[in-house]
């Protein structure tokens, strides 16, 4: 055990085992939890408590009560169906709690058993939380706080790796994998996996939460809000706030109320419902909804003052509401002016083309809404249909074209050597989060990191393929990017810098290779033969591109981290890097030679 929540909701560091003697055996220097490390562990616990929203979430009594009642209702409904259909034998209910954390939802399910046997499978991938959950469940069993007819089987793993559930066995799926952006913790990915493995019962099943509605509100935001809070906040995590096809990506959280009170944002429209997602139907997720409405009618007194101030619609906020068990009776939402919550806030994004508030009475607006490609966020594209807005759009398009032209010209003048900086690494913390917590993990949102690390697998059975990479300052957060060479060796097992494109010699070499291997023309392809010099275990590839080849570049560039689908052990490897611009598809492949 590392640390847990005490009865006042405080994080406290506890021993590695329940047996006090064993801890003593650890002695001054023994083990991670020996006395010497107590302060260290407390520091980690405190940092984690300060820098995450766990406590806020666990103390959200409205959330907890709604989930409890929704779980009870769902289980009651399924129980009555099963009882009706059962010939004469006893009824057994199978429940899957994904991301069980402290075990709260599993305990709700265990207690909801009414005259039936309930088997709960509960999984949590984040080790400290898994340990806390294990202890909570154990204590509840010992104190006889759950009926003897209920059992909870706990797995320290990702939901995709739980194989104890048989096909079509699952009656109830429960989970609270929702963040401010609704989908950022990977709820849709979990659902996709559950549906693709056909774990849910064919006839009757229940999913808590069962559906969600999404609203947007159009805003005028101060440039500094968009730049500092949104663009920089987002860029630090994933990249652009606006996708290449003009959709605003809604995943940066803010406190709407507080920004509004300080006059940093102004609501221009009412709440506009743009999307509804049915989590119980996996065919329901891949669409784009178009909603048309009118903004700023003359009845809105504030809108006329906005016009006189020359404001424009330049941002959009998103709120969601979930229906927990399908009846509409148990709902939770992220509307502003609800009770103050840190774990669920509002999200905000800039618009690609701001819409001026015209002198006419009403501005026709079109909102296109869709779930983002990676299923981890929600995208909207807001466009006005008025003349002024069209003019502004044209102006912006021309400006962009001009900028692109200048950039292209500059590009052609520059020397076109691109270097691929690449390393094979052993990053145990992300290898299913199984490693114990160290100083490095404090403050890092492992939930999101892990979801992203496993986001897309490349369609191939060949061993050694990597998952699609993602851009993140992960290594920086882990504390390795600025580490000394000696320390780096614990993470980077092999590191190199290779010329990737557009050098005459390189092209010649590639062509010769292609001829040798009878390959199709693909100028962005590179093979690197690696001799690590000793046997290494590599489970990640870390890389970035740069027009410089210096070793220092590792310290200044954001890197891409890609988790391999299996650990490779050996001393000689071949790395094939190709089609790195492709959205899907192969990125980097590592093979053992
Ligand atoms: C928001 S917390 C909810 C915890 C708990 N269910 C509750 O409601 O109090 C989500 C938890 O799910 C875990 N998690 C996220 N995706 C997961 C997955 N695919 N498999 C297992 N655990 C996951 C995270 O590590 C995190 O601890």
């Amino acid at each position: 055990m590392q640390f847990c929540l005490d009865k006042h909701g405080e994080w406290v560091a506890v021993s590695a085992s329940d047996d006090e003697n064993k801890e003593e055996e650890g002695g001054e220097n023994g083990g991670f939890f020996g006395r010497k490390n107590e302060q260290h562990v407390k520091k980690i616990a405190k940092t984690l408590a300060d820098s995450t929203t766990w406590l806020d979430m666990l103390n959200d009594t409205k959330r907890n009560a709604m989930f409890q009642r929704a779980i009870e209702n769902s289980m009651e409904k399924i129980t009555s169906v099963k009882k009706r259909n059962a010939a004469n034998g006893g009824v057994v209910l199978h429940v899957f709690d994904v991301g069980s954390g402290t075990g709260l939802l599993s305990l709700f399910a265990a207690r909801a058993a009414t005259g039936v046997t309930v088997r709960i499978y509960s999984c949590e991938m984040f080790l400290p939380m898994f340990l806390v959950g294990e202890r909570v469940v154990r204590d509840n069993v010992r104190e006889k706080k759950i009926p003897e007819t209920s059992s909870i089987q706990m797995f320290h793993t990702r939901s995709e790796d739980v194989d104890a559930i048989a096909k079509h066995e699952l009656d109830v799926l429960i989970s609270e994998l929702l963040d401010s952006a609704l989908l950022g913790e990977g709820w849709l990915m979990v659902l996709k996996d559950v549906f693709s493995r056909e774990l849910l019962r064919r006839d009757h099943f229940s999913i808590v939460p069962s559906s969600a509605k999404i609203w947007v509100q159009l805003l005028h935001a101060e440039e500094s809000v968009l730049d500092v809070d949104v663009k920089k906040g987002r860029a630090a995590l994933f990249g652009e706030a606006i996708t290449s096809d003009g959709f605003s990506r809604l995943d940066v959280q803010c406190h709407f109320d507080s920004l509004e009170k300080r006059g940093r944002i102004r609501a221009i429209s009412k709440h506009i419902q743009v999307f509804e997602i049915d989590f119980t139907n996996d065919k329901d997720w891949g669409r784009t909804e178009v909603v048309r409405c009118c903004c700023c009618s003359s009845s809105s007194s504030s809108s006329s003052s906005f016009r006189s101030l020359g404001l424009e619609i330049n941002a959009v906020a998103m709120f969601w509401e979930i229906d927990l068990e399908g009846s509409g009776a148990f709902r939770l939402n992220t509307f502003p002016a609800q009770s103050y919550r840190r774990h669920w806030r509002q999200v905000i994004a800039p618009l690609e083309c701001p819409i001026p508030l015209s002198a006419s009475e009403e501005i026709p607006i079109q909102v296109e809404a869709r779930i983002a490609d990676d299923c981890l966020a929600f995208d909207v594209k807001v466009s006005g249909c008025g003349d002024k807005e069209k003019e502004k759009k044209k102006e912006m398009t021309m400006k962009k074209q001009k900028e692109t032209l200048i950039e292209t010209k500059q590009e052609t003048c520059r020397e076109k050597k691109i270097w691929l900086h690449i390393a094979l690494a052993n990053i145990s913390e992300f290898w299913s989060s199984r490693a114990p917590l160290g100083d490095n993990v404090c403050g890092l949102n492992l939930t999101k990191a892990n979801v992203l690390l496993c986001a897309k697998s490349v369609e191939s059975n060949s061993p050694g393929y990597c998952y699609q990479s993602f851009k993140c300052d992960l290594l920086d957060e882990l504390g390795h990017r600025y580490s000394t060479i000696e320390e780096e060796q614990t993470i980077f097992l092999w590191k190199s810098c290779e010329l990737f494109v557009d050098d005459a010699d390189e092209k010649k070499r590639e062509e010769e290779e292609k001829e040798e291997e009878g390959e199709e023309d693909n100028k962005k392809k590179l093979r690197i033969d690696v001799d690590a010099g000793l046997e290494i275990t590599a489970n990640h590839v870390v890389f970035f591109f740069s027009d410089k080849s210096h070793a220092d570049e590792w310290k200044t560039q954001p890197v891409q981290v890609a988790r391999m689908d299996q650990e490779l052990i050996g001393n000689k490897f071949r790395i094939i890097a190709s089609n790195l611009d492709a959205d899907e598809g192969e990125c980097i492949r590592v093979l053992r030679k």
Side-chain angles (χ1 to χ4, degrees), residues 317-383:
M318 170 196 141
F319 325 109
W320 53 253
E321 181 180 68
I322 47 169
D323 180 348
L324 288 170
E325 51 78 79
S327 69
F330 309 108
R331 289 177 297 166
L332 289 165
N333 68 54
T334 61
F335 294 139
Q338 299 289 313
S339 57
Y340 178 86
R341 278 191 183 124
R342 214 158 66 83
H343 72 106
W344 285 336
R345 303 181 216 182
Q346 296 73 47
V347 295
I348 185 171
L351 300 189
E352 185 186 39
C353 301
I355 304 167
L357 291 171
S358 76
S360 65
E361 293 297 287
E362 290 188 327
I363 310 163
I365 301 279
Q366 172 171 299
V367 184
E368 289 166 70
R370 67 179 187 199
I371 291 166
D373 279 351
D374 60 6
C375 287
L376 288 171
F378 194 74
D379 292 345
V380 295
K381 187 169 176 174
V382 182
S383 34

Side-chain angles (χ1 to χ4, degrees), residues 5-22:
L5 296 162
D6 71 5
K7 60 183 176 197
H8 308 294
E10 300 278 345
W11 284 94
V12 287
V14 293
S15 62
S17 91
D18 290 339
D19 186 343
E20 292 300 320
N21 297 331
K22 265 196 193 153

Side-chain angles (χ1 to χ4, degrees), residues 164-232:
I165 306 167
K167 227 174 167 181
H168 303 302
E169 185 182 41
L170 210 57
D171 298 290
V172 186
L173 173 65
I174 55 178
S175 183
E176 199 274 76
L177 282 197
L178 307 174
D179 66 348
S180 300
L182 187 68
L183 306 171
E185 283 192 31
W187 177 221
L188 282 189
M189 290 180 187
V190 167
L191 286 170
K192 275 186 180 175
D193 170 67
V194 168
F195 276 100
S196 74
R197 289 198 283 149
E198 298 177 63
L199 298 184
L200 291 158
R201 201 162 275 285
R202 268 205 200 94
D203 38 13
H204 283 92
F205 63 83
S206 181
I207 298 180
V208 177
S210 73
S211 68
K213 284 181 183 161
I214 291 173
W215 278 267
V216 296
Q217 186 166 29
L218 307 177
L219 312 173
H220 173 84
E222 272 181 9
E223 256 324 301
S224 64
V225 173
L226 295 182
D227 199 43
V228 181
D229 296 351
V230 181
K231 288 190 187 149
K232 290 214 171 111

Side-chain angles (χ1 to χ4, degrees), residues 416-420 497-515 521-529 545 575 577-578:
K416 269 185 153 182
K417 282 187 176 177
I418 301 290
W419 299 84
L420 167 64
C497 155
E498 307 280 331
L499 193 55
F500 188 57
V501 277
D502 270 3
D503 167 271
D505 294 341
E506 175 66 13
K507 267 190 183 154
K508 212 168 136 202
R509 194 166 71 98
E510 271 184 10
E511 266 154 30
E512 278 167 13
E513 255 183 48
K514 263 180 241 149
E515 262 171 40
D521 182 41
N522 179 358
K523 76 174 182 183
K524 287 192 176 179
K525 193 152 201 166
L526 177 68
R527 276 180 188 71
I528 310 162
D529 286 323
F545 289 93
I575 300 177
S578 65

Side-chain angles (χ1 to χ4, degrees), residues 197-406:
R197 289 198 283 149
E198 298 177 63
L199 298 184
L200 291 158
R201 201 162 275 285
R202 268 205 200 94
D203 38 13
H204 283 92
F205 63 83
S206 181
I207 298 180
V208 177
S210 73
S211 68
K213 284 181 183 161
I214 291 173
W215 278 267
V216 296
Q217 186 166 29
L218 307 177
L219 312 173
H220 173 84
E222 272 181 9
E223 256 324 301
S224 64
V225 173
L226 295 182
D227 199 43
V228 181
D229 296 351
V230 181
K231 288 190 187 149
K232 290 214 171 111
R234 191 183 149 67
L237 282 171
F238 311 106
E240 295 83 34
I242 297 173
T243 63
S244 54
D245 52 354
F247 277 79
S248 305
R249 182 140 181 174
L250 284 151
D251 60 3
V252 174
Q253 46 179 326
C254 68
H255 273 302
F256 191 96
D257 269 348
S258 139
L259 289 175
E260 198 175 32
K261 271 185 201 133
R262 286 181 287 139
R264 297 186 69 203
I265 55 171
R266 293 175 197 223
I268 306 280
S269 75
K270 297 203 169 83
H271 292 180
I272 307 163
Q273 192 193 317
V274 289
F275 213 85
E276 198 162 350
I277 313 168
D278 180 357
F279 295 132
T280 66
N281 176 4
D282 64 335
K283 308 283 175 296
D284 188 52
W285 308 325
R287 67 204 142 86
T288 301
E289 291 284 340
V290 181
V291 173
R292 290 193 180 85
C293 59
C294 279
C295 197
C296 290
S297 73
S298 53
S299 58
S300 161
S301 59
S302 54
S303 65
S304 52
S305 60
F306 290 164
R307 273 202 297 274
S308 62
L309 288 170
L311 300 184
E312 56 187 13
I313 302 170
N314 60 2
V316 57
M318 170 196 141
F319 325 109
W320 53 253
E321 181 180 68
I322 47 169
D323 180 348
L324 288 170
E325 51 78 79
S327 69
F330 309 108
R331 289 177 297 166
L332 289 165
N333 68 54
T334 61
F335 294 139
Q338 299 289 313
S339 57
Y340 178 86
R341 278 191 183 124
R342 214 158 66 83
H343 72 106
W344 285 336
R345 303 181 216 182
Q346 296 73 47
V347 295
I348 185 171
L351 300 189
E352 185 186 39
C353 301
I355 304 167
L357 291 171
S358 76
S360 65
E361 293 297 287
E362 290 188 327
I363 310 163
I365 301 279
Q366 172 171 299
V367 184
E368 289 166 70
R370 67 179 187 199
I371 291 166
D373 279 351
D374 60 6
C375 287
L376 288 171
F378 194 74
D379 292 345
V380 295
K381 187 169 176 174
V382 182
S383 34
C385 316
D387 288 346
K388 269 204 172 176
E389 198 273 336
K390 272 188 195 151
E391 264 170 43
K392 180 131 189 183
K393 209 167 178 175
K394 215 165 134 191
E395 221 175 81
M396 294 212 31
T397 318
M398 277 163 69
K399 197 172 151 214
K400 258 198 181 159
Q401 278 169 352
K402 223 167 154 185
E403 280 169 6
T404 322
L405 206 71
I406 296 169

Side-chain angles (χ1 to χ4, degrees), residues 54 57-58 63 98-101 104-105 123-126 129 157-160 176-177 185 190 447:
W54 268 97
M57 175 190 77
L58 289 168
R63 176 199 85 114
V98 174
S100 48
L104 189 73
L105 305 189
C123 70
E124 170 55 57
M125 67 185 185
F126 185 30
M129 279 333 295
T157 186
R158 293 182 58 86
S159 48
E160 297 94 304
E176 199 274 76
L177 282 197
E185 283 192 31
V190 167
T447 308

